[in-house]
Amino acid sequence: MNRVTIDLHALQHNIRTIDSWLTERGASWTLVTKVLCGHVDTLDALRRIGVRSMADSRLANLRAMDRGTGNFESWYLRLPHLPAISDIVELADVSLNSEMRAIEALDAEARRRGRIHRVVVMVELGDLREGVLPGSLLEFYERAFRLENIEVIGIGANLGCLSGVVPNIDQLTQLVLYRELLELKFAHRLPFISAGSSAVLPLMLEGRAPAGINHYRIGEAVFLGTDLVNGGTLPGLRDDAITLETEVVEVREKGLVPLGETASITPFETFDDEEVQPGQRGFRAVVTVGQLDTEVQGLTPLDTRYRLTGASSDLAVLNVGDNPDGLSVGDTISFRPGYGSMVRLMLSPYVDKVVVPPIDEFARSVRDEDLVKVPPSLEAPEPGKS
């Protein structure tokens, strides 16, 4: 038995906290739900909490969102791929773009449907994933600006998503200057600089993020509470929204050093760095989660006395010392997943996913005063500008 439990009250707490941070600074934000992999009960709970702006990188996940009333917007985070243009225009109110050919295809599809599609032009700031080079931005924007069924609502950037570049004030200030240049050149207001992410929250909390960064796309901090820059948990957030429960299928006292000659014949790398002495013994517990289920290296046992030593396809092994709790077969060992581990857990067909409390019980407990106010960014008051 492997089960991910999603604590809706913890999610509600984190959403309310982050929403208050951003509202105080005149910024709007969109909740990034891609880590949920389209999990319907959690998406439903987010709407019941009051979230009306969600973003995802998979069209199937956007389709899983219950839009309910018209007071809801969806953002598509993956760069548009041409065969999916029709679905993108159908399912997403906003998409992030860095290629003119894709924007022109979005324009043609939006014209065919008799609607306007909104885009954020992504700018390369050094993480070397997607983005228009700054030297080409004026020409790129001018071409997009002239398309009749495209509305460019802002510019944006991703930092820390590929190369691990830590966002800094200089990079973010560049975006503010680019926005001012475009507005002056084309005499047209650009409402958004969408460059805020969980990685920018530490800068914002320190009061060092430029006020012009007025739209945030937040995912990891909501679900895991992570401080991506300094490590640990952001102040005021909960880190217990997501828990993995695994079943113990063996507990025995064994030697802690493998016997015989070892070689790189296992399909997965070992990751235990604990120093053990020849002949040293201890209890080892085998649990029912493996590399087919998740990125095991990203799991942290809730009991700090336990230590993961390695995993095969279907099983993981922990050193549990002298087994102080008397673990036995059928017991449960629980973990906190990192972001990469959570994504794979939510995607795995071998892992059950359960919201707590059950969705109907949770819905009855949500009072009007408990609702967060995460309105559609496109309908929010004009975000603050530097």
Side-chain angles (χ1 to χ4, degrees), residues 18 28 62 108-109 114 140 150 160 171 185 229 234-235 250 264 269 287 337 376:
I18 293 170
S28 61
L62 290 180
E109 179 63 22
F140 188 96
I150 292 294
Q171 292 165 321
K185 173 74 173 177
V229 176
L234 286 166
E250 178 187 298
S264 300
E269 293 182 7
V287 295

Side-chain angles (χ1 to χ4, degrees), residues 98-142:
S98 63
E99 283 288 349
M100 184 53 58
R101 185 179 176 192
I103 296 178
E104 290 172 343
L106 291 166
D107 174 66
E109 179 63 22
R111 186 183 314 114
R112 189 183 71 81
R113 292 174 177 265
R115 61 192 298 181
I116 299 295
H117 184 75
R118 298 172 176 89
V119 305
V120 172
V121 174
M122 301 300 284
V123 182
E124 174 60 63
L125 292 183
D127 199 49
L128 302 180
R129 202 177 74 170
E130 80 273 38
V132 178
L133 295 176
S136 306
L137 183 58
L138 277 174
E139 178 185 356
F140 188 96
Y141 176 80
E142 181 174 15

Side-chain angles (χ1 to χ4, degrees), residues 33 46 79 89 112 116 183 356:
T33 60
L46 294 177
L79 291 181
V89 173
R112 189 183 71 81
I116 299 295
E183 288 185 333
V356 291

